[in-house]
Amino acid sequence: MRDVAVIGVGMNKWGELWEKSIRTIFVESALEALDSAGVDHIDSMFIGCMSSGLFTDQEHLASLLSDYLGMNPVGATRVESACSSGGAAFRLGYIEVAAGVSDIVLVGGVEKMTDVDGGGATFALGTAADAEYESYHGATFPGLYALIARAHMERYGTTREQLASVAVKNHANGFLNPRAQFRSKITVDQVLNSSEVADPLRLLDCSPITDGAAAVILAPVEMAKKLGQPIIKILGSGQATDTIGLSSRADLTYLKATEVAAEKAYKQAGIGPNDIDFAEVHDCFTIAEICVTEALGFFEKGQAAKAAEAGVTARDGSKPINPSGGLKSKGHPVGATGVAQIVEIVEQLRGESGDRQIKNARRALAQNMGGTGGSTLVHILEVIS
Amino acid sequence: MNTSARYWREIPQRYRLEAGKCRKCGKILYPPRLVCPDCKGRDFETVILPDEGKVVSYTIIAVGPTGFTDETPYALGIIELPNGVRLMSQIVDVDLDKLSVGMPVRLEFRRLQEAGKSGILQYGHKCVPA
């Protein structure tokens, strides 16, 4: 296997982009990535997208996007793994370069979610749950995570205030991110008094509906060295699955796929959770960030909520989580999220994150998951000079 | 519109709570599967699930998906049966403020949606306090 580096990143401003179609959103980010890498061609591309069919009536997406990027007749593949589609696409791009099959690969993620109304979006997202045995009974994604939250509260004494502190922290970070959908600071009281969605979760516990894209360019480290930029090397990549039916899990608070994917990535990188300087994780709901940071080994089981409330995961804490603002504040265009996590990590490791820069960060982890953790990708990146 | 086959093929599970019991290791699987995730066995007998259990976790859904918007707020729970099987179910005929983890419930056959995606009245189990 060859060592692989991320040599370019691109990401447009996220939000409700009514005036732009899915192809435009993608091409804007992809062009930025190509320009930042200083390359004018690619050998292949992978696109993470959960449901362009349900959100925009458009399938056969990878070829459409390679065409509009002006890259035909390049090879292009779309990857679907619910909300971890972007992370899954990144892993495939990494493997293709590591294997020597391609030298320069573009990995993109995109979702255009506002071409359908709220009910349509809820339905499309709901297809990532067990349609025949959970959605059939009226389950929604906030509802499924609420079941996890209640179990965590019962088992570990986690409080509503502790959960809310995750949203407050991520909004404080997103406030400093020019590309974030919601650049607004919020308080614990605002979270606790926001409208009910699925008890015990409220509106400000939930990530939003977002249009957006992100793209990165991968190349062998040997080739990247000639470009003269800081080299952001992929140290480890792990992937794992779990039941997508939440009722089939013995412990609702335990994200097994995240723990297993992380173990694989740590093993490949030859490091452990204490060696990670900061992480971008999948905070689709406040409780998700809590369960994820426990499964990644950053905190003992049952301790992550207390740590979040104590400021350990803040930008200036000892284990910063989601300096980008996370899904909560930056937005969650589901297929793009996993790629955007890589964009944030690369910029942070290069020291290009402006007001939200994490000081002296050399090694970071990205965790991206689908549904309630039925699929998970973990990647570890390091800056080498 | 989905075909009606989409609906009727699930009737044994939804109406009669039919599960699969692995003949190799004895694990009971609901919904039934072709492969036991524990022992990889492929030989199953059909068993009917018990109709009483307890609430493992619950939520009160205020924003419902298409087909359930007229029913909000409604309670949804994960129910554990005495044989270890867990399933998802609405919890009805209960004061929503009185819900609790561990509360005993009984599964009843009820209508779930007016007309589902197949244009058919949808039935299945719901839970009531036992």
Side-chain angles (χ1 to χ4, degrees):
Chain A
M1 291 234 306
R2 301 192 291 183
D3 285 340
V4 180
V6 182
I7 63 167
V9 296
M11 179 179 158
N12 51 355
K13 162 85 175 146
W14 285 6
E16 295 178 346
L17 309 178
W18 307 106
E19 73 285 8
K20 292 177 183 174
S21 78
I22 188 169
R23 62 189 82 181
T24 307
I25 292 170
F26 166 77
V27 170
E28 284 177 352
S29 291
L31 288 175
E32 191 184 319
L34 289 166
D35 291 347
S36 81
V39 298
D40 58 5
H41 77 282
I42 54 175
D43 297 320
S44 77
M45 56 189 259
F46 290 90
I47 303 298
C49 179
M50 174 180 166
S51 197
S52 55
L54 290 173
F55 283 119
T56 69
D57 302 334
Q58 181 70 62
E59 302 288 15
H60 206 174
L61 190 69
S63 295
L64 177 82
L65 299 184
S66 67
D67 181 16
Y68 276 77
L69 188 58
M71 289 293 173
N72 278 348
V74 75
T77 306
R78 177 236 181 128
V79 181
E80 187 275 313
S81 186
C83 306
S84 67
S85 300
F90 183 75
R91 178 173 158 85
L92 290 178
Y94 161 61
I95 291 170
E96 184 160 304
V97 177
V101 174
S102 291
D103 284 332
I104 302 175
V105 170
L106 183 149
V107 177
V110 65
E111 212 76 52
K112 171 69 186 170
M113 302 173 74
T114 63
D115 278 3
V116 292
D117 61 16
T122 302
F123 173 78
L125 293 168
T127 60
D130 186 324
E132 294 177 346
Y133 291 90
E134 294 191 337
S135 308
Y136 183 79
H137 291 279
T140 60
F141 261 96
L144 295 172
Y145 274 96
L147 291 165
I148 294 175
R150 174 98 52 208
H152 205 278
M153 294 164 87
E154 286 280 331
R155 181 159 181 176
Y156 298 114
T158 300
T159 66
R160 283 288 303 114
E161 288 76 10
Q162 288 168 350
L163 293 179
S165 73
V166 173
V168 172
K169 182 259 298 175
N170 287 346
H171 270 260
N173 291 347
F175 179 75
L176 301 173
N177 185 348
R179 293 177 295 207
Q181 180 172 8
F182 293 126
R183 300 191 66 192
S184 52
K185 293 181 181 174
I186 58 172
T187 65
V188 167
D189 277 347
Q190 282 176 306
V191 180
L192 298 182
N193 293 311
S194 57
S195 60
E196 290 183 7
V197 175
D199 183 70
L201 300 181
R202 292 182 174 248
L203 186 66
L204 290 177
D205 286 292
C206 310
S207 57
I209 300 288
T210 311
D211 300 326
V216 301
I217 311 293
L218 303 178
V221 164
E222 289 310 311
M223 186 182 288
K225 283 180 178 168
K226 294 170 190 158
L227 297 171
Q229 287 183 336
I231 291 165
I232 312 301
K233 179 182 161 184
I234 301 168
L235 283 189
S237 172
Q239 182 175 21
T241 49
D242 197 356
T243 66
I244 71 168
L246 194 58
S247 347
S248 302
R249 294 189 201 159
D251 182 353
L252 297 177
T253 66
Y254 171 47
L255 295 171
K256 183 176 185 178
T258 292
E259 183 170 300
V260 173
E263 279 171 0
K264 291 177 183 174
Y266 289 140
K267 188 178 175 195
Q268 184 188 351
I271 61 171
N274 293 336
D275 302 312
I276 300 295
D277 295 324
F278 75 94
E280 285 284 309
V281 309
H282 201 92
D283 61 317
C284 48
F285 299 90
T286 48
I287 182 64
E289 182 169 312
I290 297 305
C291 294
V292 165
T293 50
E294 290 173 3
L296 290 172
F298 295 160
F299 305 107
E300 294 291 316
K301 288 192 170 63
Q303 299 304 309
K306 297 178 187 75
E309 190 176 45
V312 176
T313 56
R315 221 169 46 258
D316 58 357
S318 59
K319 188 68 93 178
I321 303 292
N322 284 326
S324 69
L327 287 54
K328 175 70 200 78
S329 162
K330 184 177 57 184
H332 184 27
V334 287
T337 284
V339 181
Q341 292 176 330
I342 305 294
V343 172
E344 176 71 14
I345 284 174
V346 168
E347 291 182 342
Q348 287 279 359
L349 294 180
R350 285 176 165 184
E352 298 171 351
S353 294
D355 293 339
R356 64 181 194 287
Q357 181 67 45
I358 307 276
K359 291 190 176 64
N360 303 318
R362 295 194 55 80
R363 219 177 270 135
L365 179 150
Q367 180 270 354
N368 179 209
M369 65 184 174
T372 48
S375 53
T376 301
L377 280 295
V378 171
H379 287 96
I380 298 170
L381 291 89
E382 182 180 51
V383 59
I384 54 174
S385 41
Chain B
M1 183 84 58
N2 293 148
T3 61
S4 58
R6 171 92 199 256
Y7 185 79
W8 56 248
R9 69 166 186 249
E10 313 298 342
I11 282 176
Q13 287 78 51
R14 288 174 179 165
Y15 289 19
R16 297 195 293 276
L17 290 173
E18 286 188 7
K21 182 176 183 180
C22 177
R23 286 200 162 99
K24 195 168 156 194
C25 75
K27 188 179 176 76
I28 300 173
L29 296 164
Y30 181 86
R33 304 176 182 220
L34 300 179
V35 183
C36 175
D38 283 7
C39 75
K40 315 302 174 196
R42 300 182 190 178
D43 189 17
F44 294 89
E45 64 176 303
T46 298
V47 297
I48 305 293
L49 293 177
D51 64 356
E52 295 208 334
K54 60 179 177 144
V55 174
V56 172
S57 188
Y58 68 92
T59 179
I60 299 162
I61 294 193
V63 181
T66 307
F68 293 87
T69 48
D70 293 342
E71 297 183 38
T72 57
Y74 58 91
L76 183 77
I78 291 178
I79 313 300
E80 184 167 304
L81 309 180
N83 59 13
V85 168
R86 289 180 170 193
L87 47 77
M88 196 159 286
S89 174
Q90 286 188 37
I91 309 167
V92 297
D93 297 349
V94 62
D95 181 346
L96 294 179
D97 293 332
K98 299 279 165 51
L99 290 165
S100 65
V101 171
M103 73 181 279
V105 290
R106 190 176 66 251
L107 293 165
E108 291 192 347
F109 182 70
R110 297 284 183 97
R111 191 168 74 192
L112 290 181
Q113 282 185 57
E114 259 321 304
K117 289 194 291 176
S118 306
I120 295 170
L121 289 175
Q122 297 199 157
Y123 295 91
H125 58 261
K126 285 185 180 179
C127 286
V128 298

